[in-house]
Amino acid sequence: MSTKLWHPFANMADISKKETIIDRGEGVWVWDTSGNRYLDATASLWYTLVGHGRAELAEAAARQMKKLAAYSTFGDFANDPALRLAERVAALSPIANAAVFFTSGGSESIETAAKLVRRYWGAVGKPERHLLITRGGSYHGVAGYGTSLAGIEPNAAGYGELIPGVICVAPDDPRAVEDVIEQHSGEVAGFFGEPVRGAGGVYPPVAGYWEQIQRICRKNDVLLVADEVITGFGRLGTWFGSSRFNIVPDIITGAKGVTSGYLPLGVVICGERVQEPFWRGAGTMFRHGYTYSGHAAACAVGIRNLEIIEKENLLGRASDLEPVLASEMQRLLQHPLIKEVRCIGLTAACEFSAEARQNNPRVADDVLAEARRNGVITRSLLGHSLQVSPPLIITREELKFMVDGFLAALNHVETEMTEMRRA
Ligand SMILES: Cc1ncc(COP(=O)(O)O)c(C=O)c1O
């Protein structure tokens, strides 16, 4: 019997009869329904910052659900967890006097931020500022705007006409941004970028990139949006990637780590400038919001999750482990199938050599399948790299176990490839 579950980002013709059913989790470990144990080297989709199986988070959800699971925050309605989490996230963010708009996840956060950027310029009487700049190789989720902002081309292909007015620039070149702004003088509304490009392959920015982007945006009156869906809430050893790169964006989008994924939640953190036309004077309504914006139980989990990150000093831990992960990853660089490793904070990627990919276009899939047999779950990023983004609670021994698992898998696949070539 094949499954009725249509998996995201999956070829159902391939996997409909061979799902891996994950059953439970504890710390950095998850178990499938056959009882196999795996080290979760990707924290699911980057998000399980505090690790799996945290009873405190289940209890926070249950407590809130018994009292009030959810209630609209449209109009004048609010609930205590939404108010408290907004306060907490605003205080943690590098943006002074921020206001927080809640969504149900990263794609909705980007959708909200992009609409807000355009709506802002309309509200201040400059609707001609409508162009949005994005970076090659970027991932901003899969909603309408996120698909239109996609720098990973296949993610935007095949959907017909997308949202117009998006310009994609080379990812590491501030000069390219300046050129676009000059060519379209007075028409650029906002710049969108991930502090560290994640799904595109874990690319830390080139030195000084973000400071230059901030300078260019400020000089040209362009709103700066940092998409921190991956980098927000501790992955880089700081609450936000923006702080690590010394920038103060106009808007920060977040999701994932705010609840460690225990319940779905996204945030859009907005600075005073963006608030101005909506919050001050006669005001203007931002005609936008989701049924689950400010979901009480999700926000209660968010509050508890941020308490755990703080109480257990997981930012300090990510910083301490950063060089440990980097030196473990160096071991992979010795391997002939690997061309490069990239590391920052508690995330990394190892990239396969062009030769390896030429000899075996499925090399990334083969290695991750073998790593899984060795008890380590990882993910292929666009077929060229493997993702490493473990929970922040991982230990040094577990990091070693993870890299040992990758190495054994690389060795196995390399041997197979050599034998195939000989045959
Ligand atoms: C940078 C970035 N933005 C947006 C998203 C979309 O988030 P979601 O999958 O929660 O909609 C992601 C998801 O990985 C992401 O990495």
Side-chain angles (χ1 to χ4, degrees):
M1 254 283 276
S2 74
T3 184
K4 290 285 174 274
L5 175 67
W6 193 330
H7 296 228
F9 281 94
N11 180 344
M12 291 311 296
D14 278 350
I15 63 143
S16 62
K17 293 202 178 89
K18 50 171 183 173
E19 297 161 296
T20 301
I21 304 173
I22 300 297
D23 188 43
R24 70 184 178 94
E26 197 181 316
V28 298
W29 303 96
V30 291
W31 284 260
D32 66 19
T33 39
S34 309
N36 300 307
R37 184 182 84 147
Y38 308 95
L39 189 147
D40 182 7
T42 59
S44 183
L45 288 174
W46 318 85
Y47 58 72
T48 322
L49 298 185
V50 301
H52 299 280
R54 290 278 193 161
E56 309 98 293
L57 295 182
E59 281 151 17
R63 217 176 305 121
Q64 184 58 43
M65 283 185 184
K66 285 180 196 162
K67 196 172 169 211
L68 176 76
Y71 202 84
S72 162
T73 58
F74 281 25
D76 67 334
F77 290 118
N79 61 71
D80 183 59
L83 290 168
R84 287 198 295 131
L85 185 60
E87 188 92 37
R88 188 80 195 105
V89 169
L92 294 175
S93 93
I95 299 177
N97 299 319
V100 179
F101 194 104
F102 286 116
T103 70
S104 322
S107 297
E108 286 186 358
S109 291
I110 280 292
E111 190 80 2
T112 301
K115 285 176 73 177
L116 187 54
V117 163
R118 285 192 165 166
R119 192 67 198 86
Y120 167 83
W121 286 112
V124 298
K126 295 187 179 168
E128 65 279 9
R129 281 201 180 263
H130 66 291
L131 297 177
L132 308 175
I133 302 180
T134 186
R135 302 164 77 204
S138 61
Y139 184 77
H140 296 294
V142 295
Y145 274 97
T147 304
S148 307
L149 289 166
I152 298 170
E153 284 167 20
N155 289 350
Y159 301 109
E161 196 181 342
L162 296 171
I163 292 166
V166 175
I167 299 175
C168 188
V169 296
D172 291 323
D173 182 7
R175 182 67 226 167
V177 177
E178 213 157 19
D179 287 348
V180 167
I181 295 174
E182 271 169 27
Q183 277 160 23
H184 300 274
S185 176
E187 288 184 342
V188 178
F191 174 90
F192 287 73
E194 300 160 87
V196 173
R197 276 185 298 133
V202 185
Y203 291 92
V206 294
Y209 178 81
W210 282 107
E211 276 135 330
Q212 289 184 63
I213 290 292
Q214 174 169 268
R215 185 183 51 72
I216 292 164
C217 287
R218 291 226 172 117
K219 189 174 117 205
N220 295 285
D221 216 15
V222 167
L223 295 177
L224 174 53
V225 183
D227 184 354
E228 300 237 22
V229 167
I230 287 174
T231 52
F233 305 101
R235 170 104 7 237
L236 301 186
T238 46
W239 280 110
F240 291 91
S242 296
S243 317
R244 176 153 177 159
F245 300 121
N246 299 312
I247 58 163
V248 181
D250 295 292
I251 298 177
I252 293 176
T253 54
K256 300 189 189 277
V258 66
T259 56
S260 285
Y262 277 71
L263 282 177
L265 186 69
V267 297
V268 184
I269 309 167
C270 307
E272 280 185 302
R273 175 167 185 193
V274 176
Q275 296 166 36
E276 181 72 29
F278 305 98
W279 286 57
R280 323 260 184 260
T284 304
M285 186 193 291
F286 182 34
R287 299 191 71 85
H288 177 85
Y290 300 99
T291 294
Y292 302 125
S293 286
H295 188 282
C299 290
V301 168
I303 293 165
R304 191 75 191 97
N305 174 62
L306 298 182
E307 277 170 10
I308 293 174
I309 293 176
E310 197 162 45
K311 200 177 77 204
E312 299 183 7
N313 186 23
L314 296 187
L315 304 190
R317 190 179 177 118
S319 300
D320 290 348
L321 288 177
E322 178 168 348
V324 181
L325 174 62
S327 89
E328 285 289 342
M329 293 297 291
Q330 282 301 312
R331 292 202 281 140
L332 301 178
L333 200 48
Q334 316 301 321
H335 199 277
L337 294 182
I338 298 299
K339 159 185 128 180
E340 181 173 276
V341 298
R342 296 179 290 274
C343 309
I344 184 162
L346 213 58
T347 187
C350 61
E351 182 168 332
F352 292 93
S353 70
E355 195 191 345
R357 294 176 62 206
Q358 210 163 21
N359 290 337
N360 175 6
R362 287 186 45 87
V363 65
D365 289 329
D366 288 352
V367 172
L368 77 83
E370 187 57 28
R372 227 189 260 190
R373 278 190 280 276
N374 299 335
V376 181
I377 292 181
T378 176
R379 211 160 72 95
S380 156
L381 298 173
L382 304 177
H384 61 63
S385 300
L386 294 181
Q387 174 181 334
V388 179
S389 56
L392 306 186
I393 49 129
I394 195 166
T395 64
R396 286 163 193 255
E397 295 70 36
E398 287 163 343
L399 281 174
K400 180 170 183 310
F401 178 93
M402 174 184 84
V403 173
D404 286 344
F406 293 152
L407 265 180
L410 285 163
N411 286 335
H412 180 92
V413 171
E414 190 205 4
T415 307
E416 270 184 352
M417 282 167 61
T418 312
E419 279 166 8
M420 289 260 286
R421 270 207 310 280
R422 282 207 194 114

